[in-house]
Amino acid sequence: MLLPMLRLSIGASAASITCDLFLLSGGCPTSQACMDVVYSPLGTTRAGTRHYESGGQEKCYVYHDPDCNGKGEAPRWILDDHAPSESVAHDLDEDDACSYYARIDSGAPAALPTSTNTWTAWCEGETWESASITLTCLPPPPPPPRPSQGSYSYGAFSLFGAVGDYSYVDGDGAASSVFGG
């Protein structure tokens, strides 16, 4: 059984859990392109917080913004279709507004809002509504398989070495190499 890869960070005041890969689910119909896809780390903001990109066809981003418009708004985790800047201190999508799919206020930039939480989401009818969004940590992908070693003989030549790159000896005893892709 694989367990999600979690990191436990112990700070002066509390413990926080972060994960490398996660899945978002729930939300409003207006944000469904951002749901049920895997998110992975994309980079680090100027404040040193990781931000994440969806693996879906339409790119979505999850990031912590200390002030979404530069006018003193509460810090929050944001679900957006605009990538956050890694060079500005606040208003990370640089739109001079608090415009995004969903948010959850949080002064804890190192702790993703895991489990099911109530986010404020831009829903149908173009209103802000409370919506349940679940962030589920996922296990890391398995490591790539190791090349198998061995040899193979057929007719006048033999193959040996790692799968993907082959050397062979032809019927005249001459050695040649073939590199697989």
Side-chain angles (χ1 to χ4, degrees):
M1 178 176 158
L2 291 174
L3 296 175
M5 180 171 207
L6 303 175
R7 278 195 288 272
L8 183 63
S9 305
I10 302 191
S13 60
S16 62
I17 296 176
T18 60
C19 49
D20 289 326
L21 301 173
F22 61 86
L23 179 76
L24 285 181
S25 57
C28 293
T30 53
S31 62
Q32 286 306 299
C34 299
M35 299 298 162
D36 300 318
V37 292
V38 175
Y39 286 77
S40 59
L42 178 63
T44 305
T45 66
R46 181 174 167 186
T49 303
R50 292 169 81 183
H51 58 92
Y52 304 84
E53 180 182 63
S54 69
Q57 203 168 11
E58 182 178 323
K59 295 299 179 192
C60 296
Y61 305 89
V62 173
Y63 57 92
H64 189 270
D65 197 331
D67 180 354
C68 60
N69 62 7
K71 298 175 185 164
E73 294 293 330
R76 57 194 66 182
W77 281 96
I78 290 176
L79 172 63
D80 200 351
D81 61 348
H82 294 95
S85 169
E86 294 183 351
S87 61
V88 299
H90 50 76
D91 187 17
L92 300 187
D93 64 358
E94 301 181 280
D95 66 355
D96 296 321
C98 295
S99 178
Y100 37 74
Y101 287 134
R103 75 163 190 268
I104 184 167
D105 290 349
S106 172
L112 283 165
T114 57
S115 302
T116 301
N117 291 286
T118 301
W119 292 55
T120 302
W122 189 251
C123 294
E124 299 208 31
E126 298 186 355
T127 60
W128 290 107
E129 297 179 19
S130 295
S132 289
I133 295 179
T134 302
L135 189 151
T136 306
C137 292
L138 300 174
R146 295 182 61 199
S148 60
Q149 299 290 323
S151 63
Y152 175 76
S153 295
Y154 180 78
F157 66 90
S158 296
L159 297 175
F160 55 90
V163 171
D165 295 333
Y166 302 100
S167 296
Y168 66 92
V169 178
D170 65 20
D172 296 326
S176 298
S177 295
V178 176
F179 299 100

